[in-house]
Amino acid sequence: MRYLTLLALLVATRAEAQYGTTTHGHPTAADVRREFVRSWDAYKKYAWGHDVLLPITGGSSDWYKESLHISPIDAYSTMRVMGLDSQAREVERYIIDSVRFDKDIYVKTFEVNIRILGGLLNMYQWTRDPRILARARDFGDRELKAFASPTGIPYYWVNLRTGAVKGERVNVAEAGSYVFEMGILSYYTGDPKYYRAGKKASVALFSRRSPLGLVGYDINVNTGAWLDTRSFIGACEDSYFEYLFKSWRLFHDPELKTMWDTSIAAINRYIPEESDTSLWYGYVDMRTGAKVRSEVTLYDAFFPSILAMDGDLHRAEKLEHTWYWLWNHYGLEPGGYDYHADTVTDPGYDLNPEIIESAYYLYTLTGKERYREMGYTFYNDILRYCRTPLAFSSISDVRTKRQNNELPTFFFAETMKYFYLLFGGNPSVNVRDYVFNTEAHPFRRADFTPEEIHKRLGIQ
Ligand code: DMJ
């Protein structure tokens, strides 16, 4: 008996050394917060001043030839949500004292919009410090140069110093996911030019939809011609739809609501493939509605969150369960999967948040305990396969679980925030009172009053 107790203790201690937590079955918000702090401390020790931490070797790397400080800017809102006030204040001071965006580098318009502009605007929400707003505005003005195309759809790259642009082929997400951050910038500054630019890009896509109501995959920003007519909801299209819905929810612009309603009706008419046990959204041709590919990307797993917010709980729950099945099939989600062939088409898992985000929305909106339990599975698997002695690492192949020494910034911004909220940390930040941008930076709805929205965003 005593031998068995000792053995159990040894197994538990080994597991704890490996996973760094004592709550394997039911992790708590406090566990998530502790792991966030551990990873953040590693970023500070090994990568401070740089975009990202290398979570296995302990070095750092930058997206471009100069750092844009993306990890701290992205991590900030999670610090606020978790009540990590001293860490948050340190990031604020750093942004004010040391970060400038007058850099001679071409940046990806889409990626910096959701992470840097979204992150800075969120920092202003919490601090109301005019120096932070000045940084956000400066960044927004530099980003705005990308929108000077004949269609109003931004170029793929923009040079932060010179305003030069390049890259006329963009996918739908890169073309039309700006109306949310640009609207908030207009609201905070009182200058409607940002919202106009962001909305013009979304309208440019919407007005080029097919007679079926579907948009394609890639578009030319100069000519407005579709370069790829496949239509779906996952990686490369996802946040265009997400922002029609969420921007309407924040700004109450009726045109956005019409665009969302038209889009979701067409999507649900042509794209889903449903059986008794599964619901997948594959690829169809935007002109004919014909099914052209049975592949999904792990980004698709954001869709239950929007469906649920839109009141379509049947599809939202079925889709989340389908994705949960896929997660359990591999112990983590593959980046791409063919549901007819039952094969992995992209084996990587980059610590992405979407399936956790949807579990969190569904838990909040239905109250069903099974969504929190899903979260326990996701969290425990991430601890098991992605945790490193310093932080967490992406996985290059979910079948082998090989770690690849990368830690995307959205791990700080999204993945850990959604776990924390799903496990009950800080219920005052919730999906009813806040609207989260696609990088999980939460904006308080009550701060945006209808009269001021109309005036400051120039909504007619
Ligand atoms: C995030 O950068 C954003 O959510 C984006 O819209 C797509 N997904 C990644 C994380 O997976």
Side-chain angles (χ1 to χ4, degrees), residues 67-243:
S67 171
L68 286 172
H69 318 281
I70 306 176
S71 280
I73 294 173
D74 237 5
Y76 177 85
S77 65
T78 303
M79 293 169 181
R80 282 299 197 151
V81 167
M82 292 182 175
L84 295 167
D85 296 338
S86 66
Q87 289 90 337
R89 273 195 298 275
E90 187 175 21
V91 175
E92 288 161 23
R93 275 196 305 274
Y94 185 64
I95 298 300
I96 292 165
D97 296 341
S98 313
V99 171
R100 300 290 179 275
F101 297 112
D102 178 27
K103 293 174 189 281
D104 188 14
I105 49 176
Y106 281 90
V107 299
K108 291 183 187 172
T109 314
F110 167 76
E111 296 293 352
V112 298
N113 177 68
I114 63 173
R115 301 180 203 223
I116 298 183
L117 185 59
L120 291 172
L121 290 168
N122 202 262
M123 200 177 289
Y124 178 68
Q125 168 187 257
W126 299 101
T127 60
R128 298 291 158 172
D129 185 325
R131 294 169 297 177
I132 301 285
L133 182 57
R135 282 289 174 284
R137 186 178 199 149
D138 172 62
F139 194 84
D141 285 334
R142 294 172 193 280
E143 191 187 316
L144 211 53
K145 301 282 197 316
F147 291 72
S149 74
T151 58
I153 296 172
Y155 290 92
Y156 188 87
W157 299 97
V158 59
N159 185 299
L160 287 180
R161 176 169 297 163
T162 66
V165 292
K166 60 184 184 181
E168 61 180 11
R169 183 182 187 123
V170 295
N171 65 45
V172 161
E174 292 156 354
S177 308
Y178 304 91
V179 60
F180 190 79
E181 289 80 7
M182 290 291 172
I184 294 168
L185 184 55
S186 281
Y187 193 86
Y188 286 159
T189 61
D191 187 339
K193 73 177 176 186
Y194 306 104
Y195 184 66
R196 283 200 190 115
K199 184 172 166 185
K200 188 174 173 192
S202 297
V203 170
L205 288 175
F206 183 72
S207 64
R208 288 172 174 81
R209 70 193 181 282
S210 71
L212 304 185
L214 297 169
V215 293
Y217 186 116
D218 279 343
I219 195 163
N220 183 304
V221 310
N222 287 327
T223 65
W226 289 107
L227 303 174
D228 185 334
T229 57
R230 288 173 303 162
S231 193
F232 71 124
I233 57 145
C236 306
E237 298 210 13
D238 46 5
S239 45
Y240 161 64
F241 302 118
E242 181 182 357
Y243 274 13

Side-chain angles (χ1 to χ4, degrees), residues 110-111 114-115 238-239 242 298-299 351-354 357 410 414 438-440:
F110 167 76
E111 296 293 352
I114 63 173
R115 301 180 203 223
D238 46 5
S239 45
E242 181 182 357
L298 59 74
Y299 297 80
L351 295 161
N352 308 77
E354 287 78 2
E357 170 182 3
F410 54 70
E414 298 192 69
T438 192
E439 195 73 0

Side-chain angles (χ1 to χ4, degrees), residues 15-33:
E16 190 177 339
Q18 190 182 353
Y19 306 141
T21 176
T22 48
T23 50
H24 310 303
H26 287 180
T28 63
D31 293 328
V32 178
R33 190 177 189 265

